[in-house]
Amino acid sequence: MECVFGFVGNGFAVVAADTSAVHSILVHKSNEDKIMVLDSHKLIAASGESGDRVQFTEYIQKNVALYQFRNGIPLTTAAAANFTRGELATALRKNPYFVNILLAGYDKETGPSLYYIDYIATLHKVDKGAFGYGSYFSLSMMDRHYHSGMTVEEAIDLVDKCIMEIRSRLVVAPPNFVIKIVDKDGAREYAWRESVKDAAVASA
Amino acid sequence: MARYDRAITVFSPDGHLFQVEYALEAVRKGNAAVGVRGTDIVVLGVEKKSAAKLQDSRSVKKIVNLDDHIALACAGLKADARVLINRARIECQSHRLTVEDPVTVEYITRYIAGLQQKYTQSGGVRPFGLSTLIVGFDPYSGVPALYQTDPSGTFSAWKANATGRNSNSIREFLEKNYKETSGQETIKLAIRALLERG
């Protein structure tokens, strides 16, 4: 039921993910941020087994930071994607991680890029990608409306179209989404799309 | 006396660990490094010997980052420094991964000193031939800190210190001239200390 999707625009890459943390029939929380800021110019949107998701992405984040301290220069998005894939591949036939990842980044030399990395260590460099049941709807919307070199406004409009489609057509659709963007100025949260706010805890 | 050099796990009759003392000699031959703690700043300075003409001096890093908030300078065997710094950098990230918090300056100093001590009590290895000056700000309290470690594995906090060549005279200068400073004043104190050659 987890929905993660994203695509590349003109000088930026945008990713959106649902924000529900679910266990069987129970929704633990509906404001779980599944898009991690990997470093100043990279985002990692992950879906899958929630323990694996956090463990694996934090492990990747710390190793990316270590590389930067050792070498005085950050990893490129392609290098980070290949490293991530390598870790998934190594663990695959022993102790696999059930995590699907969209890695979005911006490099000064090559601009924005998006990498599709699934839990069995597939790696593809893509213009648009999606995971989960929501992908049936978001990929179709993106196939219809995506073109290369979209502006941020056009891109967010497309993201909203995808969210609308997921909300209306997926039987157990997640109510809330978070949208993050990465461009030359860095990786940052763009917006939340909430249809259900977590109730505030009543004071004792 | 020479008989007690070979295996560093052996004490000499008068209670010395000669390999550790010889390591301290190696430190004394290294480039001077100075550290000064101010109220809102910590300063590290290192002496840069005139480089060989054909050498790209930018590739010789004498002050390094261990993490976003911790820096290290050292005097002694630079190759040993690379190994120690690498282990410290890994520990900084490992700490962040396991407890979701950055290291304190004291924690990473204790870790480095612990590593240096291990190599004074193992078979077939020699101590690291370097003393380090570690600076940073406590990630929670924001308090600045300066620590020093040496090949024996001891460490302590300092208001200002020097290690390497001429460290005694530089330390004397600091003892005479140290006062609580901030910002540019602290930087000036560190530079003046380095310029003070024995």
Side-chain angles (χ1 to χ4, degrees):
Chain A
M1 301 302 174
E2 295 196 337
C3 307
V4 175
F5 61 93
F7 52 90
V8 176
N10 186 17
F12 67 93
V14 63
V15 283
D18 79 284
T19 59
S20 24
V22 169
H23 186 88
S24 164
I25 57 165
L26 175 69
V27 178
H28 278 301
K29 60 192 292 212
S30 43
N31 59 358
E32 168 82 357
D33 188 351
K34 297 178 191 171
I35 306 181
M36 168 179 280
V37 174
L38 197 62
D39 74 11
S40 63
H41 287 73
K42 290 180 196 49
L43 290 169
I44 205 167
S47 74
E49 191 71 50
S50 46
D52 284 351
R53 174 171 53 79
V54 174
Q55 286 293 95
F56 184 72
T57 54
E58 283 187 356
Y59 172 72
I60 298 296
Q61 185 192 54
K62 300 311 183 243
N63 271 281
V64 167
L66 182 62
Y67 179 95
Q68 193 160 340
F69 281 109
R70 275 183 173 150
N71 298 284
I73 189 171
L75 277 169
T76 60
T77 310
N82 277 281
F83 171 69
T84 306
R85 187 215 92 90
E87 290 298 308
L88 286 167
T90 306
L92 181 60
R93 297 192 194 266
K94 290 185 192 130
N95 199 4
Y97 295 103
F98 286 102
V99 196
N100 297 309
I101 283 167
L102 281 177
L103 204 160
Y106 183 92
D107 304 301
K108 228 164 39 160
E109 298 80 18
T110 51
S113 51
L114 183 67
Y115 287 86
Y116 172 104
I117 307 169
D118 79 6
Y119 74 103
I120 42 176
T122 306
L123 173 68
H124 289 306
K125 184 176 186 301
V126 294
D127 285 331
K128 51 186 172 344
F131 285 108
Y133 285 117
S135 68
Y136 291 113
F137 309 104
S138 50
L139 277 172
S140 305
M141 288 310 278
M142 290 192 282
D143 283 344
R144 173 68 184 84
H145 293 289
Y146 175 86
H147 58 88
S148 65
M150 293 171 84
T151 64
V152 177
E153 290 72 31
E154 288 174 320
I156 297 302
D157 190 56
L158 177 52
V159 167
D160 282 329
K161 279 194 171 70
C162 294
I163 292 174
M164 283 305 144
E165 202 64 16
I166 292 169
R167 276 193 183 141
S168 54
R169 289 297 186 183
L170 185 56
V171 63
V172 194
N176 302 334
F177 285 81
V178 63
I179 306 170
K180 296 199 182 180
I181 194 168
V182 59
D183 61 15
K184 68 176 181 1
D185 299 323
R188 59 192 178 280
E189 194 177 278
Y190 182 88
W192 284 68
R193 299 287 186 246
E194 289 172 305
S195 62
V196 169
K197 276 196 167 44
D198 261 339
V201 176
S203 52
Chain B
M1 284 297 197
R3 293 209 303 281
Y4 301 98
D5 288 352
R6 285 235 196 94
I8 49 129
T9 48
V10 179
F11 277 103
S12 69
D14 53 350
H16 289 258
L17 286 172
F18 277 115
Q19 279 298 299
V20 175
E21 290 180 16
Y22 298 161
L24 281 156
E25 258 311 298
V27 169
R28 253 170 249 131
K29 290 192 168 33
N31 293 341
V34 105
V36 184
R37 188 188 80 196
T39 52
D40 62 349
I41 187 174
V42 278
V43 182
L44 279 175
V46 289
E47 164 195 48
K48 222 168 173 183
K49 253 193 0 232
S50 51
K53 275 203 198 131
L54 294 172
Q55 185 185 63
D56 186 352
S57 53
R58 288 170 307 168
S59 67
V60 183
K61 286 196 169 20
K62 304 211 173 159
I63 304 179
V64 297
N65 276 327
L66 296 183
D67 202 342
D68 293 324
H69 60 302
I70 313 255
L72 176 148
C74 56
L77 268 45
K78 293 300 186 224
D80 286 4
R82 257 198 344 259
V83 171
L84 216 52
I85 288 166
N86 191 39
R87 296 285 294 270
R89 281 171 169 161
I90 292 173
E91 179 60 21
C92 284
Q93 295 305 314
S94 177
H95 186 275
R96 279 178 184 260
L97 188 58
T98 47
V99 303
E100 246 184 52
D101 271 331
V103 295
T104 58
V105 189
E106 202 235 349
Y107 176 95
I108 199 65
T109 305
R110 188 187 299 274
Y111 177 82
I112 291 173
L115 212 49
Q116 287 179 293
Q117 191 280 340
K118 243 193 266 276
Y119 283 71
T120 69
Q121 212 177 10
S122 297
V125 297
R126 61 163 177 81
F128 288 98
L130 68 147
S131 292
T132 70
L133 288 171
I134 301 165
V135 297
F137 285 81
D138 188 297
Y140 320 106
S141 62
V143 171
L146 163 66
Y147 283 84
Q148 189 211 36
T149 73
D150 65 27
S152 66
T154 51
F155 72 93
S156 54
W158 293 76
K159 293 179 187 156
N161 201 359
T163 179
R165 214 195 312 266
N166 298 316
S167 58
N168 284 328
S169 49
I170 300 176
R171 201 174 304 115
E172 258 179 55
F173 173 88
L174 286 168
E175 277 173 20
K176 274 202 206 80
N177 294 284
Y178 179 84
K179 51 186 201 300
E180 287 277 304
T181 52
S182 67
Q184 288 292 321
E185 285 307 309
T186 320
I187 301 175
K188 277 191 212 151
L189 180 58
I191 295 174
R192 276 170 36 223
L194 266 175
L195 291 171
E196 183 80 7
R197 304 300 301 280

